[in-house]
Every structure is written in structure tokens, then in C-alpha cells.
């Protein structure tokens, strides 16, 4: 039998987290529900991401790739690049085995930039940053990459 008493708190928590993410992103989603299906992508991209997207599009070559360590795989859509890892949402790569796989990709794949962290609610909902969540990946990141630029709270690292 289904246990409502155990799953209801989780459902409420997830609903609140989704609401907080949408509210904190600074994007006005109201027009999506007012009957207009004509919204352009640019209207939906949070302002705090727009300059970073422009930077990446300008500085990534045709064969360059990009990796995000945030919990936001939408970055690949924003910059029109495929994820160089099978973990488009890096939070799924927390087990050591998967971290080693992503870390190896930092060395062997043509990843020019890594979005190390940002101020997104989705990335810091549990107050754990990349260093605590992905120690093996971050160790490889520090070996092969260096801090490059912070744009509107989005911290990018570049290959050495």
C-alpha cells in the first residue's frame, strides 16, 4: 500500500524548492501561463546568466566543449554545446567511480571552460559546494584548469 504520510512531506518540500528556484532566478515566467506560447528563449534566460552565455559563445570554438559542475544542465542548451560527459547534471556523478570518470574527461576531452560554481539556488540548496560534493573532480580541475573569470556570480575556470 502507498504511504502518504511518508511521501507527502517530500512532495511538499520538492514543490517549495521548485517554487524557490523559479522565484530566485529573476525570470518572469508569468507570461508563459497567460496563453502566450510565443516566448523566445532569450526571454526565459535569467539575467544573471546572459553575460556568461555571451562570453562562452564568443570564446568557445567549434571543437571546444564546456562542463558545468552546477546542478543546471540547461547551460548546454544555452550555449548550444553537448555535454562532454555522460553526466549532464554533474550531481549524478557524486559516487567516486563516476567522479573519476568525469575527472579523466577533464584531462582527455577538449573542455576549454568549466563552470565551477554559481549562486544558483539549485546548486547550493544544501549549502555544499563543489569542493565538498565532488572532491575527486575538483582535484583534477585544480590540476588542469585555473580560475578565469567571474561573471554575475558564475565562476568559470579555463584550461591551463
Amino acid at each position: 500500500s502507498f504511504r502518504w504520510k511518508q511521501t507527502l512531506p517530500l512532495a511538499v518540500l520538492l514543490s517549495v524548492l521548485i517554487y524557490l528556484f523559479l522565484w530566485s532566478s529573476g525570470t518572469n515566467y508569468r507570461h508563459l501561463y497567460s496563453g502566450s506560447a510565443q516566448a523566445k528563449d532569450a526571454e526565459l534566460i535569467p539575467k544573471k546568466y546572459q553575460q556568461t552565455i555571451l562570453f562562452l559563445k564568443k570564446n568557445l570554438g567549434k571543437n571546444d566543449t564546456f562542463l558545468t559542475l552546477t546542478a543546471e544542465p540547461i547551460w548546454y542548451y544555452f550555449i548550444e554545446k553537448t555535454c562532454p560527459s555522460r553526466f549532464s547534471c554533474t550531481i549524478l556523478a557524486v559516487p567516486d567511480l563516476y567522479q573519476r570518470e568525469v575527472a579523466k574527461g577533464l584531462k582527455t576531452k577538449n573542455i576549454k571552460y568549466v563552470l565551477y560554481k554559481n549562486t544558483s539556488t539549485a546548486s547550493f540548496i544544501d549549502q555544499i559546494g563543489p569542493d565538498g560534493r565532488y572532491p575527486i573532480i575538483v582535484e583534477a580541475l585544480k590540476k588542469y584548469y585555473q580560475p578565469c573569470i567571474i561573471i554575475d556570480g558564475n565562476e568559470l575556470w579555463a584550461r591551463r
Side-chain angles (χ1 to χ4, degrees):
S1 70
F2 193 72
R3 297 180 184 156
W4 283 106
K5 289 182 181 181
Q6 292 175 337
T7 58
L8 184 60
L10 180 61
V12 170
L13 176 64
L14 287 174
S15 299
V16 169
L17 292 177
I18 290 168
Y19 172 78
L20 288 174
F21 173 73
L22 294 176
W23 177 75
S24 72
S25 69
T27 303
N28 181 3
Y29 294 93
R30 241 181 281 140
H31 68 281
L32 293 177
Y33 302 105
S34 64
S36 172
Q38 304 301 320
K40 297 188 181 346
D41 286 352
E43 296 173 33
L44 301 175
I45 297 172
K47 290 187 186 301
K48 63 184 178 181
Y49 294 173
Q50 292 173 3
Q51 292 302 312
T52 307
I53 293 166
L54 289 175
F55 174 86
L56 289 168
K57 283 185 170 186
K58 178 182 175 187
N59 292 288
L60 285 170
K62 181 180 177 184
N63 296 320
D64 293 329
T65 60
F66 157 85
L67 180 73
T68 179
L69 297 184
T70 69
E72 306 163 301
I74 192 72
W75 281 96
Y76 303 108
Y77 177 77
F78 289 160
I79 63 168
E80 300 173 29
K81 294 283 187 179
T82 57
C83 178
S85 165
R86 67 179 171 135
F87 302 103
S88 60
C89 189
T90 314
I91 200 161
L92 299 173
V94 169
D96 289 358
L97 172 69
Y98 299 151
Q99 284 191 57
R100 284 191 286 278
E101 180 181 324
V102 174
K104 181 179 177 185
L106 287 172
K107 179 182 178 184
T108 61
K109 297 189 177 181
N110 195 24
I111 301 170
K112 185 172 182 180
Y113 293 104
V114 175
L115 178 55
Y116 175 62
K117 63 182 175 182
N118 63 15
T119 57
S120 164
T121 304
S123 297
F124 281 99
I125 195 74
D126 55 4
Q127 302 298 309
I128 300 172
D131 295 63
R133 183 171 287 125
Y134 319 114
I136 297 169
I137 297 172
V138 170
E139 182 181 335
L141 179 77
K142 290 178 179 178
K143 184 174 181 180
Y144 303 113
Y145 293 78
Q146 61 189 2
C148 172
I149 190 169
I150 299 174
I151 306 170
D152 295 330
N154 300 298
E155 185 175 331
L156 292 169
W157 287 44
R159 182 176 283 283
R160 293 185 189 270

